[in-house]
PDB file of all heavy atoms in Angstrom:
ATOM      1  N   ILE A 267     -86.897-141.633  64.912  1.00  0.00           N
ATOM      2  CA  ILE A 267     -85.486-141.621  65.311  1.00  0.00           C
ATOM      3  C   ILE A 267     -84.906-143.027  65.171  1.00  0.00           C
ATOM      4  O   ILE A 267     -83.825-143.208  64.637  1.00  0.00           O
ATOM      5  CB  ILE A 267     -85.333-141.112  66.764  1.00  0.00           C
ATOM      6  CG1 ILE A 267     -85.692-139.625  66.818  1.00  0.00           C
ATOM      7  CG2 ILE A 267     -83.914-141.333  67.274  1.00  0.00           C
ATOM      8  CD1 ILE A 267     -85.824-139.075  68.214  1.00  0.00           C
ATOM      9  N   PRO A 281     -65.883-146.310  54.413  1.00  0.00           N
ATOM     10  CA  PRO A 281     -65.235-146.404  53.098  1.00  0.00           C
ATOM     11  C   PRO A 281     -63.852-147.026  53.256  1.00  0.00           C
ATOM     12  O   PRO A 281     -63.169-146.771  54.247  1.00  0.00           O
ATOM     13  CB  PRO A 281     -65.137-144.946  52.653  1.00  0.00           C
ATOM     14  CG  PRO A 281     -65.295-144.126  53.882  1.00  0.00           C
ATOM     15  CD  PRO A 281     -66.096-144.944  54.839  1.00  0.00           C
ATOM     16  N   VAL A 285     -55.574-147.356  49.233  1.00  0.00           N
ATOM     17  CA  VAL A 285     -54.240-147.956  49.171  1.00  0.00           C
ATOM     18  C   VAL A 285     -53.492-147.297  48.023  1.00  0.00           C
ATOM     19  O   VAL A 285     -53.955-147.293  46.889  1.00  0.00           O
ATOM     20  CB  VAL A 285     -54.329-149.479  48.944  1.00  0.00           C
ATOM     21  CG1 VAL A 285     -52.947-150.088  48.887  1.00  0.00           C
ATOM     22  CG2 VAL A 285     -55.164-150.123  50.037  1.00  0.00           C
ATOM     23  N   ILE A 286     -52.348-146.697  48.336  1.00  0.00           N
ATOM     24  CA  ILE A 286     -51.537-146.027  47.320  1.00  0.00           C
ATOM     25  C   ILE A 286     -50.308-146.875  47.040  1.00  0.00           C
ATOM     26  O   ILE A 286     -49.662-147.352  47.970  1.00  0.00           O
ATOM     27  CB  ILE A 286     -51.112-144.622  47.789  1.00  0.00           C
ATOM     28  CG1 ILE A 286     -52.349-143.782  48.089  1.00  0.00           C
ATOM     29  CG2 ILE A 286     -50.243-143.935  46.744  1.00  0.00           C
ATOM     30  CD1 ILE A 286     -52.052-142.392  48.628  1.00  0.00           C
ATOM     31  N   THR A 290     -41.864-148.674  41.332  1.00  0.00           N
ATOM     32  CA  THR A 290     -40.429-148.435  41.185  1.00  0.00           C
ATOM     33  C   THR A 290     -40.004-149.051  39.852  1.00  0.00           C
ATOM     34  O   THR A 290     -40.714-149.891  39.290  1.00  0.00           O
ATOM     35  CB  THR A 290     -39.636-149.083  42.336  1.00  0.00           C
ATOM     36  OG1 THR A 290     -40.002-150.453  42.429  1.00  0.00           O
ATOM     37  CG2 THR A 290     -39.955-148.389  43.660  1.00  0.00           C
ATOM     38  N   ASP A 294     -35.329-154.501  34.659  1.00  0.00           N
ATOM     39  CA  ASP A 294     -35.661-154.578  33.233  1.00  0.00           C
ATOM     40  C   ASP A 294     -36.164-153.251  32.673  1.00  0.00           C
ATOM     41  O   ASP A 294     -36.601-153.176  31.533  1.00  0.00           O
ATOM     42  CB  ASP A 294     -36.692-155.696  32.999  1.00  0.00           C
ATOM     43  CG  ASP A 294     -38.006-155.461  33.733  1.00  0.00           C
ATOM     44  OD1 ASP A 294     -38.125-154.440  34.456  1.00  0.00           O
ATOM     45  OD2 ASP A 294     -38.927-156.282  33.596  1.00  0.00           O
ATOM     46  N   VAL A 299     -46.540-153.301  38.232  1.00  0.00           N
ATOM     47  CA  VAL A 299     -47.564-153.026  39.236  1.00  0.00           C
ATOM     48  C   VAL A 299     -48.578-154.165  39.253  1.00  0.00           C
ATOM     49  O   VAL A 299     -49.062-154.579  38.189  1.00  0.00           O
ATOM     50  CB  VAL A 299     -48.314-151.700  38.928  1.00  0.00           C
ATOM     51  CG1 VAL A 299     -49.379-151.425  39.983  1.00  0.00           C
ATOM     52  CG2 VAL A 299     -47.348-150.535  38.825  1.00  0.00           C
ATOM     53  N   GLY A 303     -58.568-157.014  41.653  1.00  0.00           N
ATOM     54  CA  GLY A 303     -59.919-156.477  41.668  1.00  0.00           C
ATOM     55  C   GLY A 303     -60.889-157.513  42.201  1.00  0.00           C
ATOM     56  O   GLY A 303     -60.547-158.672  42.404  1.00  0.00           O
ATOM     57  N   SER A 305     -65.439-157.759  43.581  1.00  0.00           N
ATOM     58  CA  SER A 305     -66.734-157.083  43.687  1.00  0.00           C
ATOM     59  C   SER A 305     -66.782-156.266  44.987  1.00  0.00           C
ATOM     60  O   SER A 305     -66.986-156.829  46.034  1.00  0.00           O
ATOM     61  CB  SER A 305     -67.851-158.113  43.685  1.00  0.00           C
ATOM     62  OG  SER A 305     -67.764-158.921  42.532  1.00  0.00           O
ATOM     63  N   TRP A 331     -68.190-165.450  40.122  1.00  0.00           N
ATOM     64  CA  TRP A 331     -69.039-165.561  38.938  1.00  0.00           C
ATOM     65  C   TRP A 331     -69.205-164.254  38.198  1.00  0.00           C
ATOM     66  O   TRP A 331     -69.643-164.233  37.061  1.00  0.00           O
ATOM     67  CB  TRP A 331     -70.421-166.078  39.352  1.00  0.00           C
ATOM     68  CG  TRP A 331     -70.381-167.476  39.846  1.00  0.00           C
ATOM     69  CD1 TRP A 331     -70.462-167.895  41.144  1.00  0.00           C
ATOM     70  CD2 TRP A 331     -70.207-168.667  39.072  1.00  0.00           C
ATOM     71  NE1 TRP A 331     -70.358-169.248  41.204  1.00  0.00           N
ATOM     72  CE2 TRP A 331     -70.204-169.749  39.957  1.00  0.00           C
ATOM     73  CE3 TRP A 331     -70.057-168.889  37.699  1.00  0.00           C
ATOM     74  CZ2 TRP A 331     -70.048-171.070  39.516  1.00  0.00           C
ATOM     75  CZ3 TRP A 331     -69.903-170.201  37.257  1.00  0.00           C
ATOM     76  CH2 TRP A 331     -69.903-171.267  38.164  1.00  0.00           C
ATOM     77  N   HIS A 334     -65.473-159.103  35.284  1.00  0.00           N
ATOM     78  CA  HIS A 334     -64.987-157.737  35.462  1.00  0.00           C
ATOM     79  C   HIS A 334     -64.031-157.374  34.330  1.00  0.00           C
ATOM     80  O   HIS A 334     -63.468-158.240  33.668  1.00  0.00           O
ATOM     81  CB  HIS A 334     -64.252-157.595  36.798  1.00  0.00           C
ATOM     82  CG  HIS A 334     -65.140-157.770  37.991  1.00  0.00           C
ATOM     83  ND1 HIS A 334     -66.183-156.915  38.274  1.00  0.00           N
ATOM     84  CD2 HIS A 334     -65.156-158.703  38.969  1.00  0.00           C
ATOM     85  CE1 HIS A 334     -66.783-157.321  39.387  1.00  0.00           C
ATOM     86  NE2 HIS A 334     -66.191-158.410  39.826  1.00  0.00           N
ATOM     87  N   SER A 350     -60.787-157.800  29.465  1.00  0.00           N
ATOM     88  CA  SER A 350     -61.566-158.655  30.362  1.00  0.00           C
ATOM     89  C   SER A 350     -60.612-159.306  31.352  1.00  0.00           C
ATOM     90  O   SER A 350     -59.489-159.645  31.005  1.00  0.00           O
ATOM     91  CB  SER A 350     -62.287-159.743  29.569  1.00  0.00           C
ATOM     92  OG  SER A 350     -63.192-159.145  28.677  1.00  0.00           O
ATOM     93  N   ASP A 354     -56.488-165.386  36.595  1.00  0.00           N
ATOM     94  CA  ASP A 354     -55.102-165.402  36.122  1.00  0.00           C
ATOM     95  C   ASP A 354     -54.727-163.977  35.746  1.00  0.00           C
ATOM     96  O   ASP A 354     -55.434-163.342  34.961  1.00  0.00           O
ATOM     97  CB  ASP A 354     -54.957-166.301  34.886  1.00  0.00           C
ATOM     98  CG  ASP A 354     -55.296-167.749  35.202  1.00  0.00           C
ATOM     99  OD1 ASP A 354     -54.936-168.205  36.303  1.00  0.00           O
ATOM    100  OD2 ASP A 354     -55.932-168.405  34.353  1.00  0.00           O
ATOM    101  N   ASN A 357     -51.347-159.348  31.823  1.00  0.00           N
ATOM    102  CA  ASN A 357     -50.318-158.316  31.748  1.00  0.00           C
ATOM    103  C   ASN A 357     -50.709-157.261  30.734  1.00  0.00           C
ATOM    104  O   ASN A 357     -50.996-157.569  29.581  1.00  0.00           O
ATOM    105  CB  ASN A 357     -48.970-158.935  31.379  1.00  0.00           C
ATOM    106  CG  ASN A 357     -48.449-159.816  32.501  1.00  0.00           C
ATOM    107  OD1 ASN A 357     -48.681-159.539  33.672  1.00  0.00           O
ATOM    108  ND2 ASN A 357     -47.769-160.885  32.144  1.00  0.00           N
ATOM    109  N   PHE A 360     -48.067-150.475  28.683  1.00  0.00           N
ATOM    110  CA  PHE A 360     -48.176-149.192  27.991  1.00  0.00           C
ATOM    111  C   PHE A 360     -47.099-148.272  28.545  1.00  0.00           C
ATOM    112  O   PHE A 360     -46.470-148.576  29.571  1.00  0.00           O
ATOM    113  CB  PHE A 360     -49.574-148.561  28.187  1.00  0.00           C
ATOM    114  CG  PHE A 360     -49.953-148.383  29.635  1.00  0.00           C
ATOM    115  CD1 PHE A 360     -49.568-147.253  30.341  1.00  0.00           C
ATOM    116  CD2 PHE A 360     -50.713-149.348  30.296  1.00  0.00           C
ATOM    117  CE1 PHE A 360     -49.917-147.101  31.681  1.00  0.00           C
ATOM    118  CE2 PHE A 360     -51.060-149.210  31.633  1.00  0.00           C
ATOM    119  CZ  PHE A 360     -50.659-148.070  32.324  1.00  0.00           C
ATOM    120  N   THR A 363     -47.332-141.093  28.383  1.00  0.00           N
ATOM    121  CA  THR A 363     -46.557-140.036  27.730  1.00  0.00           C
ATOM    122  C   THR A 363     -46.892-138.643  28.258  1.00  0.00           C
ATOM    123  O   THR A 363     -46.351-137.659  27.762  1.00  0.00           O
ATOM    124  CB  THR A 363     -46.810-140.062  26.208  1.00  0.00           C
ATOM    125  OG1 THR A 363     -48.228-139.951  25.989  1.00  0.00           O
ATOM    126  CG2 THR A 363     -46.301-141.349  25.589  1.00  0.00           C
ATOM    127  N   GLY A 366     -50.370-136.609  34.789  1.00  0.00           N
ATOM    128  CA  GLY A 366     -51.766-136.318  35.109  1.00  0.00           C
ATOM    129  C   GLY A 366     -52.369-137.471  35.879  1.00  0.00           C
ATOM    130  O   GLY A 366     -51.687-138.442  36.213  1.00  0.00           O
ATOM    131  N   LEU A 377     -77.900-154.919  33.702  1.00  0.00           N
ATOM    132  CA  LEU A 377     -79.240-154.374  33.521  1.00  0.00           C
ATOM    133  C   LEU A 377     -79.397-152.991  34.125  1.00  0.00           C
ATOM    134  O   LEU A 377     -78.635-152.094  33.819  1.00  0.00           O
ATOM    135  CB  LEU A 377     -80.277-155.348  34.121  1.00  0.00           C
ATOM    136  CG  LEU A 377     -80.237-156.746  33.514  1.00  0.00           C
ATOM    137  CD1 LEU A 377     -81.169-157.685  34.268  1.00  0.00           C
ATOM    138  CD2 LEU A 377     -80.630-156.699  32.041  1.00  0.00           C
ATOM    139  N   HIS A 382     -70.452-151.280  37.899  1.00  0.00           N
ATOM    140  CA  HIS A 382     -69.410-151.699  38.842  1.00  0.00           C
ATOM    141  C   HIS A 382     -68.552-150.498  39.247  1.00  0.00           C
ATOM    142  O   HIS A 382     -68.079-150.413  40.372  1.00  0.00           O
ATOM    143  CB  HIS A 382     -68.537-152.771  38.200  1.00  0.00           C
ATOM    144  CG  HIS A 382     -69.266-154.063  37.987  1.00  0.00           C
ATOM    145  ND1 HIS A 382     -68.636-155.209  37.597  1.00  0.00           N
ATOM    146  CD2 HIS A 382     -70.581-154.371  38.129  1.00  0.00           C
ATOM    147  CE1 HIS A 382     -69.538-156.199  37.491  1.00  0.00           C
ATOM    148  NE2 HIS A 382     -70.717-155.695  37.798  1.00  0.00           N
ATOM    149  N   ARG A 383     -68.366-149.584  38.296  1.00  0.00           N
ATOM    150  CA  ARG A 383     -67.586-148.381  38.605  1.00  0.00           C
ATOM    151  C   ARG A 383     -68.266-147.589  39.722  1.00  0.00           C
ATOM    152  O   ARG A 383     -67.617-147.169  40.673  1.00  0.00           O
ATOM    153  CB  ARG A 383     -67.468-147.519  37.348  1.00  0.00           C
ATOM    154  CG  ARG A 383     -66.587-146.314  37.555  1.00  0.00           C
ATOM    155  CD  ARG A 383     -66.482-145.484  36.292  1.00  0.00           C
ATOM    156  NE  ARG A 383     -65.462-144.454  36.444  1.00  0.00           N
ATOM    157  CZ  ARG A 383     -65.107-143.617  35.504  1.00  0.00           C
ATOM    158  NH1 ARG A 383     -65.683-143.690  34.321  1.00  0.00           N
ATOM    159  NH2 ARG A 383     -64.179-142.706  35.726  1.00  0.00           N
ATOM    160  N   LYS A 385     -70.161-148.751  41.921  1.00  0.00           N
ATOM    161  CA  LYS A 385     -70.118-149.521  43.166  1.00  0.00           C
ATOM    162  C   LYS A 385     -68.729-149.525  43.793  1.00  0.00           C
ATOM    163  O   LYS A 385     -68.550-150.126  44.855  1.00  0.00           O
ATOM    164  CB  LYS A 385     -70.547-150.967  42.893  1.00  0.00           C
ATOM    165  CG  LYS A 385     -72.012-151.127  42.556  1.00  0.00           C
ATOM    166  CD  LYS A 385     -72.296-152.609  42.378  1.00  0.00           C
ATOM    167  CE  LYS A 385     -73.743-152.872  42.025  1.00  0.00           C
ATOM    168  NZ  LYS A 385     -73.988-154.318  41.864  1.00  0.00           N
TER     169      LYS A 385
END
Side-chain angles (χ1 to χ4, degrees):
I267 292 169
V285 180
I286 301 177
T290 53
D294 61 359
V299 180
S305 304
W331 293 104
H334 294 296
S350 298
D354 297 322
N357 292 327
F360 56 86
T363 56
L377 302 173
H382 292 189
R383 185 180 189 177
K385 290 183 180 180

